[in-house]
Every structure is written in C-alpha cells, then in structure tokens.
Amino acid sequence: MSLKRHPLAKHGAAILASSVLASFAFLGVAVAPAQAAAEPLPNPSLADKCGLDIGVVLDLSNSLSDRDVDDSKSAAKSVASGLSGTPSRVSVNSFATFGPDGTNTPINSTSVATSDSVDELNEQIDALRRVPQDSGGTNWDRGLGQLVGTNHDLVLFVTDGKPTAYGVPGSEPGNSDRGTRTDQIDIDKAIESANTLKSQGTKVVGLGVGSEINEGNIKLVSGQTSGDDYYVVSDYSDLAEQLREIATKSCRGTLNVTKLIDPATGKHAESTATHPGEGWTIRSEERRVGKE
C-alpha cells in the first residue's frame, strides 16, 4: 500500500520553518544563509622576462618553533643570495595575528644586483623578531592580502600550514579570535586574498616549514602541483638555485652592467656626489659561439 503525503503536511513544514526563523530573529540571533567555500583560482605562470620581482612572506606565529622561524628566515635569505647578480628585486613581509605583524617593519622591494645590496637585505632579514605571545596567531588572509597591488611577479608564502585568523581580529562583530583555532572562515579568507593576487598576475608559491606541515591547506592558496605551486622545504639552497634559473631564463643574450664608484680611491675620494654613467659603448673584437 502506498501512502501519499498530504499537501497540508508540506505547507505545515514551511510554516514551522518560518516560525523557527522568526523565533531566532525575535531572540536577536542572526540567521544567515550558508555560503559556499571559496574556490581557489589557478596559479598563473611566471612572467617571461629578464629578472623577477619577488615578495617573500614570512610566518612569525607562535605555532612555529624558534628553529622553524630561523628556517623561515634562512629561506628568505637564500632567495636573496641565490638571485645575487640578477636584475631581480626582493621584498620581505611578515605576519602573525595581524599582517603586517605590528612588530617588524616590512622590507621594501630591494635590488639584488650586487653582493652589497644582498648583504644589506639579509641583515634586515636577520633582524626580524618574534611577535608578542598575544599576537602570535596565523593570519594567512592578511599575510597574503598585504601584498595586493604591489605587482610582484612571484609571492613566496613561507608558513607551517595552519591558518587561525583572518581580517583584523577585534575590528568587526564575529571576528574576535586572535589565533586560537583554525576555522573554515580563516581558510576561505586566505583563499580569497590569494585569488586576488593571482587575478593580478602574481604566482603564489607556498613553502611549508616545520614538522607538521598541512599540505592540503597550502595547496588551497597556491596550487596542486608539488615542485611548482608549492614546496615542502628542507634544503633551501636547492630552492634558491631553482629560483635563480627561473629569474634568469629570459636574460640569455643580454649583458647587465652595474657601475660602482669606490669613494676610497681616485679623484672622488673626498666627494659624496653621485656620478651617473656617461654613455658607455661595449663591443667585442671577435665573435665566438659555444663554450671553450
């Protein structure tokens, strides 16, 4: 025997649902429709040009050990050192509960064309400090979001893989967690910030550090391909060499010359004036093909 549901039963269910929503509204409880999880955009390809503009983003949260933080800074320094002598630029930003983290000053995009500029950049990276304990959350959203509009070709996102905050905690209703747990909104907001960078043509590459890497989370803000979209890094020298190759792949057939004046010798010894180049001509008396 088959039973048919009476139309009034369906109507009654609708009334009941409306009554429940009305009751919540009467009690002051906000009822919002469920939102779909953020969908990651594909990672763009790197620009085909001589030299890269690279932004390094460092996680300085409490979830990283002191060794992990040192490893993160080593990663940033290896990028600068590995690209020394190339027409590239490197910036370094850090985050924890907030981004910028409020303790360290962002390191602006710096040329790595000379060993002196690389040494100066690495000294600034070495000087980065841990944030206070009460600001040691992991805000991927603002870690990535602070680079929106900077026109980097590549963002290297160095983290342990556990987002625990978003936006500016404490600045809006419903966002009071300064980094005590991982909620879905922490991941969704990070994906949205990564998507904004990608839509501007910036490739986002995740670098996982520490002993408890969550590769799944890192893939959500970068991409699915290990060794291209993201890396779990143990040997930073290998990464630096790969980045150097990427940054110089479009430079073959060109010559980059940096003019330096040593103030300790010659007629400029007592002068602090700058002396721009005066139109050099560089030529070779013979042509050679291949290596000897």
Side-chain angles (χ1 to χ4, degrees):
M1 181 177 65
S2 62
L3 297 176
K4 292 185 179 180
R5 188 175 182 181
H6 196 280
L8 289 179
K10 183 177 180 181
H11 181 66
I15 294 175
L16 177 61
S18 299
S19 300
V20 171
L21 292 174
S23 298
F24 275 117
F26 179 77
L27 293 173
V29 179
V31 179
Q35 294 183 346
E39 188 70 25
L41 290 178
N43 229 353
S45 300
L46 281 174
D48 185 15
K49 65 180 183 179
C50 183
L52 295 174
D53 196 320
I54 299 175
V56 180
V57 183
L58 296 181
D59 182 348
L60 297 182
S61 64
N62 292 333
S63 56
L64 273 72
S65 67
D66 288 341
R67 174 62 183 275
D68 293 338
V69 171
D70 288 341
D71 284 347
S72 296
K73 293 197 289 186
S74 293
K77 290 191 295 182
S78 74
V79 170
S81 298
L83 295 174
S84 179
T86 72
S88 299
R89 299 180 66 83
V90 177
S91 71
V92 182
N93 292 264
S94 54
F95 71 96
T97 295
F98 306 99
D101 64 35
T103 296
N104 300 287
T105 302
I107 302 173
N108 294 328
S109 193
T110 302
S111 169
V112 292
T114 69
S115 58
D116 286 344
S117 63
V118 170
D119 289 343
E120 182 178 344
L121 177 57
N122 284 342
E123 286 178 5
Q124 294 182 71
I125 295 171
D126 274 329
L128 295 174
R129 296 174 293 141
R130 296 296 292 265
V131 299
Q133 190 74 18
D134 63 352
S135 297
T138 311
N139 193 333
W140 282 17
D141 169 36
R142 298 318 309 152
L144 290 165
Q146 64 184 308
L147 270 71
V148 169
T150 55
N151 299 317
H152 289 300
D153 300 307
L154 172 66
V155 165
L156 297 177
F157 187 62
V158 187
T159 185
D160 66 345
K162 298 176 182 177
T164 60
Y166 73 95
V168 182
S171 67
E172 57 185 349
N175 185 10
S176 60
D177 182 10
R178 294 171 62 94
T180 60
R181 64 184 184 272
T182 296
D183 297 316
Q184 186 61 44
I185 193 170
D186 301 327
I187 298 173
D188 289 343
K189 291 295 184 180
I191 293 172
E192 291 175 6
S193 289
N195 283 350
T196 300
L197 287 172
K198 292 174 183 178
S199 68
Q200 296 173 353
T202 300
K203 186 178 180 70
V204 179
V205 172
L207 304 183
V209 299
S211 58
E212 299 180 4
I213 304 301
N214 187 320
E215 292 186 32
N217 285 341
I218 293 175
K219 290 178 182 179
L220 291 174
V221 296
S222 54
Q224 297 297 311
T225 305
S226 176
D228 180 51
D229 293 318
Y230 76 95
Y231 299 79
V232 175
V233 181
S234 58
D235 189 337
Y236 297 109
S237 62
D238 289 345
L239 174 66
E241 181 59 33
Q242 184 168 17
L243 286 174
R244 180 182 177 84
E245 182 177 344
I246 292 171
T248 59
K249 70 176 182 178
S250 299
C251 297
R252 293 171 176 83
T254 66
L255 176 64
N256 298 288
V257 178
T258 302
K259 181 181 179 182
L260 301 175
I261 294 178
D262 186 350
T265 60
K267 66 179 182 179
H268 302 301
E270 303 299 327
S271 173
T272 59
T274 59
H275 299 272
E278 298 177 356
W280 298 353
T281 299
I282 300 174
R283 60 179 176 270
S284 174
E285 299 299 329
E286 57 183 280
R287 299 180 62 185
R288 299 194 177 198
V289 179
K291 298 181 179 178
E292 293 187 346

